Amino acid sequence: MEAPKNKSIFSRSAPKLPGKASSSPRKEITAGGAHRNTPATSFDDFQESVSDAWDLGDDEFCVISDVKISKKMAQSTAASVINRHRTQSADQVMINHQSQSIPKNANRSFPGHPHPFLESAQSRKLNEDLQSGKMEKFNTLLNSANSSMKELEECSWHGIPPSVRAITWRLLSGYIPINLDKRGPTLKRKREEYWNLVEQYYETRHEETHQDTFRQIHIDIPRMSPLIALFQQSIVQEMFERILYIWAMRHPASGYVQGINDLVTPFFVVFLQEIIPPGSNLDTHDVSKLSDEDRNSIEADSFWCLSKLLDGIQDNYTFAQPGIQNRVRQLKELIERVDVELHQHLVRHEVDYLQFSFRWMNNLLMRELPLLCTVRLWDTCLAQSHGFADFHLYTCAAFLLKWRNPLLRQMDFQGLMMMLQNLPTQSWSDEEIGEIVAEAYQLHYMFSSAPNHLQGSLNKP
């Protein structure tokens, strides 16, 4: 299959994505019967110009109740948390934060994680160290019989070299043990177990009780990165169908939910990249030319690592998706605490956090970032304790704060939503992701362990 011109597998997906706003204004009929174009000024208007594959019109997905804000916690916000992510010109309004002193003996960082108050020069130095010395350290950790998972997590937090990313992801996911002698036998056993599940379940896909699930999967798979040739290969789509169908059969409480299909792609790409020759064009590589053994290994590994990821966030995909609703509430409260001006700007123009951040939570920011950046982000999330269940909230907050200045310049609902649904990340690289996760770590450090942190949301089901 010929690759689309000027389109890399690691580029952000097509400009027209589910949830993207149409640039066409709505038409209004005047008293004389003529039509005139007017911008959308409310969410109801905006919905008319949005085509979203996730079918967000269901009422149960859009009910978010107000929660009580802890005044005590709001008063304790430190100015230093936010200063580094924000660059403002002299004519912009400065946000007043009350300072909070940090005890001298506080444990403000630990090995392998960024210091909460790193300067940008130090961040750049970390990237240089990653390129020069990380490979040797990874080789030592991965080939030592006495390595610990903590050491591997600390080493992986700032990014994993591509040549060892696949084995490291298997370990960080909990798919195979850190013990060197047990890895090979465990990998062999789990791969065989997956294919036993395929034999047990896959033939049921056309049965009346399961055909709706398989039909939805079959519809969604071609929608993934439609301009990238790799994901349009029929053999790749068949692999994805099996992975998602077997997962749905083993998790009847949630079943298959649109959006889970996207979460397979980083694992698939990383495990494919491990097998094909270095320097190969991943965009156009013909997966049908791989050996059966290699294809089967990629598919089985992708299934088990996806399963491990979803085990930690399954409430995102059960009925009414309560996990996502709760995290959207938490995001709203967090932004209100750390950047009241941005929060009030969104509220004043009737932008509900659910309208833009549902997809951030449902797809783990995959629709907002190029795939290469997603892979780098997942290095950190896999290395971070509860990375997708907890740390992702702070990643989304840092991601939103990254765009505060251009968002403040948007003075109507449609302008804000157009930007939030089309954030310009196409040219992003590891450097921007490094800045986001460093800022997310600062927010996580300051808020996640606070006794009254997001009190209203945490007490809600």
Side-chain angles (χ1 to χ4, degrees):
M1 182 179 293
E2 183 179 354
K5 296 181 179 179
N6 300 323
K7 191 67 181 177
S8 167
I9 189 172
F10 292 127
S11 299
R12 183 172 164 187
S13 295
K16 182 64 176 175
L17 291 173
K20 298 293 184 184
S22 167
S23 58
S24 302
R26 67 186 180 98
K27 291 185 176 181
E28 179 180 294
I29 301 177
T30 65
H35 290 78
R36 66 181 181 186
N37 293 331
T38 60
T41 57
S42 71
F43 186 56
D44 289 339
D45 296 334
F46 180 73
Q47 280 184 309
E48 297 178 7
S49 64
V50 174
S51 176
D52 197 311
W54 315 141
D55 297 325
L56 296 185
D58 295 343
D59 290 341
E60 65 266 27
F61 297 149
C62 299
V63 177
I64 292 187
S65 58
D66 293 331
V67 293
K68 186 175 181 180
I69 304 296
S70 169
K71 293 182 180 179
K72 182 178 179 182
M73 192 61 210
Q75 292 173 350
S76 68
T77 304
S80 57
V81 182
I82 306 307
N83 290 341
R84 201 175 65 79
H85 81 81
R86 185 177 297 124
T87 303
Q88 292 182 308
S89 58
D91 61 335
Q92 290 174 315
V93 179
M94 297 298 292
I95 297 178
N96 296 319
H97 296 285
Q98 293 182 335
S99 298
Q100 174 184 334
S101 61
I102 304 298
K104 292 182 179 180
N105 60 350
N107 182 16
R108 303 198 299 183
S109 64
F110 54 96
H113 283 218
H115 189 289
F117 306 105
L118 279 174
E119 298 295 334
S120 57
Q122 291 175 292
S123 298
R124 289 194 295 270
K125 182 64 166 60
L126 286 173
N127 289 332
E128 294 171 4
D129 291 344
L130 175 64
Q131 297 301 321
S132 61
K134 279 281 185 175
M135 194 64 228
E136 181 179 352
K137 188 170 183 179
F138 268 99
N139 283 331
T140 300
L141 286 171
L142 293 172
N143 294 295
S144 172
N146 300 316
S147 296
S148 70
M149 184 61 72
K150 182 179 179 181
E151 289 178 303
L152 186 63
E153 289 171 348
E154 291 173 354
C155 193
S156 302
W157 208 94
H158 297 294
I160 303 169
S163 60
V164 294
R165 179 173 275 132
I167 179 63
T168 305
W169 275 26
R170 292 188 190 101
L171 291 164
L172 294 175
S173 296
Y175 171 35
I176 59 174
I178 191 71
N179 183 289
L180 189 60
D181 294 332
K182 295 181 180 179
R183 291 179 200 168
T186 300
L187 197 59
K188 183 176 184 296
R189 175 174 57 82
K190 295 298 287 185
R191 286 171 176 173
E192 290 175 352
E193 183 179 342
Y194 170 72
W195 287 103
N196 288 336
L197 292 171
V198 172
E199 185 177 352
Q200 177 182 352
Y201 289 113
Y202 197 58
E203 290 301 318
T204 69
R205 66 191 184 279
H206 298 304
E207 294 180 1
E208 185 175 355
T209 54
H210 304 309
Q211 62 184 4
D212 287 345
T213 295
F214 183 74
R215 176 181 173 276
Q216 189 61 61
I217 292 171
H218 186 71
I219 290 172
D220 288 346
I221 295 300
R223 294 173 175 175
M224 298 186 314
S225 306
L227 298 183
I228 296 176
L230 175 67
F231 298 119
Q232 300 309 306
Q233 295 179 35
S234 60
I235 195 167
V236 172
Q237 294 185 358
E238 290 168 7
M239 294 166 76
F240 275 59
E241 286 177 354
R242 281 192 294 269
I243 290 170
L244 294 168
Y245 183 76
I246 301 306
W247 187 88
M249 291 299 98
R250 297 184 78 239
H251 296 82
S254 60
Y256 172 73
V257 176
Q258 290 171 308
I260 294 178
N261 54 312
D262 282 337
L263 306 185
V264 183
T265 56
F267 292 119
F268 183 87
V269 166
V270 167
F271 297 140
L272 174 62
Q273 203 165 25
E274 178 186 39
I275 288 175
I276 64 177
S280 299
N281 188 342
L282 195 61
D283 302 43
T284 58
H285 193 86
D286 188 349
V287 176
S288 67
K289 293 182 178 179
L290 297 177
S291 68
D292 289 345
E293 181 181 1
D294 284 342
R295 284 199 306 272
N296 291 348
S297 297
I298 292 170
E299 184 174 333
D301 292 355
S302 298
F303 170 81
W304 288 116
C305 288
L306 172 72
S307 297
K308 291 291 186 179
L309 184 158
L310 292 175
D311 283 349
I313 55 173
Q314 194 167 352
D315 63 343
N316 282 11
Y317 305 105
T318 53
F319 177 73
Q321 301 182 268
I324 291 180
Q325 293 196 46
N326 194 40
R327 288 175 180 86
V328 170
R329 282 195 296 265
Q330 291 176 327
L331 178 64
K332 176 181 177 181
E333 292 184 11
L334 185 57
I335 298 301
E336 186 172 11
R337 283 169 167 78
V338 301
D339 196 333
V340 67
E341 182 183 10
L342 176 59
H343 171 75
Q344 291 180 348
H345 182 69
L346 296 175
V347 171
R348 184 164 55 251
H349 293 289
E350 300 182 351
V351 174
D352 193 311
Y353 281 73
L354 187 68
Q355 294 162 7
F356 63 88
S357 66
F358 176 91
R359 191 174 67 198
W360 298 6
M361 306 296 180
N362 191 58
N363 300 80
L364 301 180
L365 288 174
M366 282 197 59
R367 294 271 171 166
E368 321 312 317
L369 300 170
L371 184 52
L372 181 61
C373 291
T374 297
V375 169
R376 166 62 191 91
L377 177 60
W378 283 26
D379 288 345
T380 296
C381 289
L382 288 166
Q384 174 74 35
S385 177
H386 306 293
F388 295 103
D390 179 24
F391 190 73
H392 183 69
L393 166 67
Y394 300 93
T395 303
C396 288
F399 186 66
L400 179 58
L401 293 169
K402 174 80 173 178
W403 310 102
R404 78 171 306 270
N405 290 336
L407 286 170
L408 289 175
R409 290 193 288 270
Q410 298 294 328
M411 301 310 295
D412 58 44
F413 175 87
Q414 179 152 332
L416 284 164
M417 288 303 298
M418 286 289 292
M419 180 174 182
L420 286 165
Q421 296 283 354
N422 296 274
L423 292 166
T425 61
Q426 293 88 343
S427 61
W428 274 28
S429 64
D430 287 5
E431 182 178 355
E432 286 81 8
I433 298 301
E435 293 173 359
I436 292 295
V437 298
E439 181 68 14
Y441 181 78
Q442 291 182 2
L443 295 170
H444 182 266
Y445 170 80
M446 292 300 296
F447 289 98
S448 68
S449 60
N452 295 320
H453 170 55
L454 303 181
Q455 178 177 317
S457 291
L458 293 177
N459 289 334
K460 290 182 178 293

